[in-house]
């Protein structure tokens, strides 16, 4: 019995140390809302924001967010604390409005698959409220301020 007790204590201690180190690594990887993070040494730092897709937390930026229109996703929200810093409304089907919008922003199809759009070139309803129009080709939307890439298919 005496030989068994030290091994239990040792095992418990190792498990506790392992749990502490893994939670610390997760916290360092996750970062903090509003913190400045450098994605690449040649690029300016981006501000981390929490990403929500139809109310579901998708983590912090920088990140790539894939949105499939077939699942009827309708909005993307970026928050820092309680402040809404970006809001994207996703048009689900072609409408007369989307036909007009095809010519209202600069989009380039550079890789033969995605039409690439900068956030600044998206139609805006008001400050920080952007509209993602329906397009038949997949979109790659880049938000350089928060390090977010949105792929809409």
């Amino acid at each position: 019995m005496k030989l068994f007790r030290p091994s239990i204590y040792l095992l418990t201690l190792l498990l506790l140390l392992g749990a502490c180190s893994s939670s610390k690594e997760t916290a360092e990887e996750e970062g903090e809302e509003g913190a400045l993070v450098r994605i690449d040494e040649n690029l300016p730092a981006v501000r981390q924001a929490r990403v929500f897709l139809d109310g579901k937390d998708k983590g912090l930026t920088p990140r790539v967010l894939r949105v499939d229109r077939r699942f009827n996703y309708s909005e993307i929200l970026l928050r820092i604390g309680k402040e809404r810093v970006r809001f994207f409304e996703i048009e689900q089907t072609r409408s007369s409005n989307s036909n007009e919008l095809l010519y209202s922003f600069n989009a380039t199809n550079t890789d033969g698959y995605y039409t690439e759009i900068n956030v600044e070139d998206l139609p805006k309803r008001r400050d920080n409220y952007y509209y993602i129009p329906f397009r038949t080709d997949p979109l790659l939307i880049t938000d350089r301020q928060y390090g977010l890439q949105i792929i809409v298919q």
Side-chain angles (χ1 to χ4, degrees):
M1 245 358 212
K2 288 184 180 182
L3 292 175
F4 185 65
R5 284 188 184 159
S7 62
I8 290 176
Y9 293 124
L10 181 60
L11 182 60
T12 305
L13 180 63
L14 289 173
L15 288 173
L16 288 173
L17 288 175
C20 290
S21 66
S22 66
S23 64
K24 184 179 177 185
E25 288 172 14
T26 304
E28 287 175 358
E29 280 181 19
E30 183 72 9
E32 183 178 313
E33 291 177 25
L36 291 176
V37 177
R38 191 167 300 281
I39 300 170
D40 185 321
E41 60 188 44
N42 298 324
L43 298 173
V46 298
R47 219 170 144 205
Q48 284 193 296
R50 187 150 305 275
V51 180
F52 295 90
L53 178 59
D54 281 343
K56 294 181 184 170
D57 190 345
K58 297 298 181 179
L60 289 175
T61 60
R63 82 170 36 258
V64 175
L65 183 65
R66 294 183 184 276
V67 178
D68 191 334
R69 289 186 204 268
R70 292 176 296 178
F71 296 128
N72 293 321
Y73 290 118
S74 60
E75 64 183 36
I76 300 167
L77 172 65
L78 297 183
R79 293 182 81 148
I80 297 177
K82 294 185 179 186
E83 179 187 0
R84 294 174 138 205
V85 293
R86 290 267 198 271
F87 184 82
F88 299 93
E89 182 181 340
I90 305 167
E91 185 180 49
Q92 296 300 317
T93 59
R94 182 174 301 285
S95 69
S96 60
N97 192 22
S98 64
N99 288 332
E100 293 171 15
L101 287 172
L102 287 176
Y103 304 102
S104 66
F105 60 93
N106 297 324
T108 57
N109 193 331
T110 57
D111 67 0
Y113 186 70
Y114 292 114
T115 297
E116 297 181 19
I117 305 170
N118 290 319
V119 165
E120 299 83 24
D121 296 326
L122 282 173
K124 287 175 79 171
R125 293 214 170 151
R126 32 182 203 276
D127 284 347
N128 298 325
Y129 188 111
Y130 296 89
Y131 187 71
I132 300 174
F134 181 85
R135 300 267 306 228
T136 55
D137 52 329
L139 300 174
L140 174 60
I141 300 164
T142 303
D143 185 338
R144 291 187 182 108
Q145 183 176 357
Y146 295 102
L148 177 67
Q149 285 193 316
I150 304 169
I151 297 174
V152 183
Q153 297 177 315

